[in-house]
Amino acid sequence: MNLAQQLAQIIEQTPVIRDRIVIRRAIAGVTDYFASSLQAHNDADAQKLLAWLTDEGGHQRAWLVGRKQLATARQAALFNGFQAHCLDYDDVHADVRGHPSAVILSALFASVRLDKPPTNIDGRRFLTAYVIGIEVMALLGKSVNPYHYEKGWHATATLGGIAATVAICYLYQEPFLTEAFALAATQAAGMRLLMGTPIKFLHAGLAAQQALQTVEWLRAGLTADQNFLDENLGFLAIYGQNNDQLTLQQWAKPWKIVEPGLWFKTYSYCSAAAYIADAGQLLYQQQFKPDNIANITLCFAPPKSDAALIYQSPTTGEQGRFSAEYILALTLLGYPLDFERFSPEPIADNIVSLMQKMQRHYQTANTCHKPSNRYVVVEIEFLCGNKLSQRIDFPKGSPQNPYTNEQMRLKLLQAVGDEQKTDNLLDDIEQLANGLSLDQFLQRHWLTL
């Protein structure tokens, strides 16, 4: 039995998860998915993609989340993935170095046919499929990174399609998981070069769509009988460096949704900048005058931990999502980190002037007493020679500094805009772990959200 077959066997033999901690983490992930998706309801780029789908047409079968509208399964996966990710407001996972839920949940929801009588898909099996998808995505991510990400691949896209395919196969107990691995892997693509453009968000939709079409093609009778983890030509050999970092002995020990866990976001920018934002907001409380700043140092540890922050001199707010300098300038000038700050509009001159005083440095050894392997230090030097500094190890929303249940509810409420609808949705997400079928869940909410 080759390595891919062993992995497939482990997945197929995984029982429905009943562990309370794991299920709580899955419920939090589903909650955050809806908060991120519904917040983007009026996004201009989402509207453009919706118009394109409507013009394309097709059999109306699967839910476009929050739209009271059905589309083909592949269209729904594409749109839902794009919408969930298009504000960069959705969860991330450290092992993946990407966004798992936007892909996996978009594909799982799109796989459900709403134009036919319910098939009573077990809500507990759905949550387990989601957890397994994250496990696979993290397992592959830990195997290929940091080389994969730093090389320029967008892991949300390259790993997400495989993970979502696995989740669908588990949900429906498909007999062709080994072949599904190979067919999903050969479709893997997505460059980080596209960060700061709407195509970055399209990557999540494309990965979800790849999962749907992988399963549909195999159901139609196409075959892909190859080992996707072949030592010479397999996924890890091409997208990573080799298979040496892949170990199946640690499968679900613990589940990756628990450790290191999902990172939920407060603001509409790359999570790598959350360290910067938290530091900037604390420094702003010192009530200094920005005109008195001589220079600012942004120190990242370890080196390349800022790889996602590709814009040091962004020209638009959209690019600013991936700019430590832009986000720090916003916080030091007292601007709110709201959705409007990350639009395609040009960046104001006073923000540009402050960004020009910033330089990035890198710390190779952790000399501070704190135990974190990753941190950021922001140091401000004033014209008079005085200095202020702030170190952040665990930004708010990270697994080590998590949100409360009430904070998660408020994020969802902000997106839904209605107390009763929010509480109904939260109650039914909880009920997925207690017998509510996935079909029932979707039927209850696709015409109300």
Side-chain angles (χ1 to χ4, degrees), residues 189-212:
M191 299 187 296
R192 284 198 298 112
L193 174 70
L194 277 299
M195 287 182 173
T197 77
I199 307 307
K200 194 258 191 183
F201 312 129
L202 191 65
H203 284 167
L206 287 169
Q209 183 184 67
Q210 288 161 12
L212 262 294

Side-chain angles (χ1 to χ4, degrees), residues 48-68:
K48 292 173 186 176
L49 185 59
L50 181 63
W52 177 81
L53 293 180
T54 302
D55 181 67
E56 183 182 50
H59 297 294
Q60 297 184 2
R61 296 173 173 171
W63 186 32
L64 301 178
V65 171
R67 299 287 162 174
K68 301 182 179 66

Side-chain angles (χ1 to χ4, degrees), residues 146-376:
Y147 170 84
H148 183 76
Y149 193 85
E150 292 170 1
K151 180 72 174 176
W153 293 107
H154 184 198
T156 301
T158 54
L159 308 179
I162 301 172
T165 298
V166 170
I168 296 172
C169 286
Y170 180 86
L171 182 64
Y172 295 98
Q173 298 177 278
E174 299 291 358
F176 43 63
L177 181 53
T178 303
E179 292 187 64
F181 271 128
L183 184 49
T186 199
Q187 299 174 74
M191 299 187 296
R192 284 198 298 112
L193 174 70
L194 277 299
M195 287 182 173
T197 77
I199 307 307
K200 194 258 191 183
F201 312 129
L202 191 65
H203 284 167
L206 287 169
Q209 183 184 67
Q210 288 161 12
L212 262 294
Q213 62 196 26
T214 292
V215 174
E216 288 180 353
W217 289 338
L218 291 170
R219 285 172 177 168
L222 297 181
T223 58
D225 190 14
Q226 291 292 340
N227 174 15
F228 95 108
L229 293 175
D230 180 85
E231 291 184 1
N232 298 312
L233 295 175
F235 183 82
L236 299 186
I238 296 171
Y239 289 83
Q241 291 175 293
N242 51 55
N243 289 359
D244 293 346
Q245 299 302 311
L246 182 67
T247 173
L248 302 183
Q249 284 68 38
Q250 296 304 310
W251 174 269
K253 298 178 182 178
W255 287 101
K256 303 301 186 298
I257 198 172
V258 174
E259 179 62 43
L262 293 173
W263 178 324
F264 301 119
K265 300 166 82 171
T266 306
Y267 301 111
S268 177
Y269 52 71
C270 178
S271 61
Y275 298 83
I276 295 292
D278 284 11
Q281 289 172 331
L282 290 172
L283 288 166
Y284 177 73
Q285 295 175 13
Q286 301 298 314
Q287 298 183 340
F288 53 80
K289 292 183 178 180
D291 290 344
N292 293 334
I293 294 175
N295 60 74
I296 303 173
T297 301
L298 291 69
C299 183
F300 294 87
K304 298 186 179 180
S305 58
D306 64 333
L309 304 173
I310 62 175
Y311 295 99
Q312 297 193 32
S313 301
T315 59
T316 68
E318 192 169 46
Q319 293 177 352
R321 279 196 174 104
F322 308 97
S323 171
E325 291 75 12
Y326 176 65
I327 290 168
L328 182 58
L330 288 178
T331 58
L332 295 182
L333 291 169
Y335 290 114
L337 295 174
D338 52 26
F339 298 105
E340 289 73 19
R341 299 293 168 187
F342 303 98
S343 73
E345 296 299 316
I347 295 174
D349 290 343
N350 64 325
I351 299 174
V352 172
S353 296
L354 188 54
M355 289 194 296
Q356 291 172 345
K357 297 180 180 181
M358 300 180 189
Q359 307 86 36
R360 298 190 193 188
H361 289 185
Y362 301 92
Q363 181 69 44
T364 55
N366 188 350
T367 58
C368 183
H369 67 280
K370 293 184 178 181
S372 173
N373 292 321
R374 181 176 180 179
Y375 62 91
V376 165

